[in-house]
Amino acid sequence: MTGNDMGDDERLRALLHDAVSDVQPHDGLGEVRRRTRARRTSSRRWAPLLVGAGAVAATVVVATVVVAGVNSDPDSDEEPPVASTSTSGSTSDPTTAAAGLYFVSNTATGPRLFREFQAVTPTDDPEQKVLTALQRLTLEPRDPDYFTLWPAESFDTVRIEDDRVVVELGTTDALEGAAGDGRFGVQQAVYTAEAALGDRLPVSFELDDEPAPRVLGLDVGTLVARDTSFTLTAPVNITDPSEGLLVEDGALSANGTMSTNVRRVEWTLSLDGDSVRQGRATPADVEGPDAQATLHAPGWVTGEIDVSDLAPGEYAFEVTALDVGQTSDAPAEFSDTRTISIR
């Protein structure tokens, strides 16, 4: 990790930590709604080298983010993200920010949406925030258990109006797909756009400045609202640790979100399939920037997990939840996992 990367890391952690004291966003949305000029991102795309997304506790949010070019080799010898809780450093002119992106993964009851935080270039322009986040959906997620349904070059421009987010599609490939899968892909975009915007607005998909009749094989109307049905989002989701986190100080803390139907969240840390630590998470309120990125879902935290006596190696951190579902649903177990390294 370079000296500049460490500076970016410290600035972002301090920025999100300070943001907890004022969780109400300023009315930048009202200003941008009075503008109609579409924004385009740079032709150079960025992907995260590491993300330790906001560490959610009852009153504390901390983030660890560094970015690198999209052509970075994931199998290279570059240093992985390192767990840290420091909040030192300047909060002026941050060079990185964390975006909550929604991907798809298979579960015991079929596909569900899972959220993953990634590093993005910060901006005060809500249109640019949404476009940057949406364009990340065309890249591979960091967690190998997740996948995306959006092809390359799917998102061209974003325009925010009084009652909608207008997304101009960049390719006809974004129209095609299986309708059953398309439901999850379309909602990937809706959830990600709302998380970036911090406001609930339906999405209008267009191609060549005309309403798109279908998206990813799914027939859509003029406006597509967030689908809040029980079968769409994952009942339990890890926010921290990030995939590939390096733990060097002998302590690990984890947090994430859960659905309102979840009775409890249990966690396990294992090495080669053998459990070395386990426990039950505690419900917690998600506050600060994470509350917007996680769309105000209920949270959970583990507290500090002592790993100082564990041998160096690659470990699997897994959370499981028994979701009782709705009246007509049978209880089902859901899980989310992250791979971490302990030194």
Side-chain angles (χ1 to χ4, degrees), residues 166-190:
V166 181
V167 175
E168 180 72 18
L169 300 175
T171 174
T172 56
D173 290 342
L175 304 179
E176 307 304 326
D181 293 337
R183 175 200 176 205
F184 293 94
V186 168
Q187 289 299 316
Q188 268 189 271
V190 174

Side-chain angles (χ1 to χ4, degrees), residues 60-74:
V60 179
V61 180
V62 180
T64 305
V65 184
V66 176
V67 293
V70 70
N71 292 326
S72 298
D73 182 359

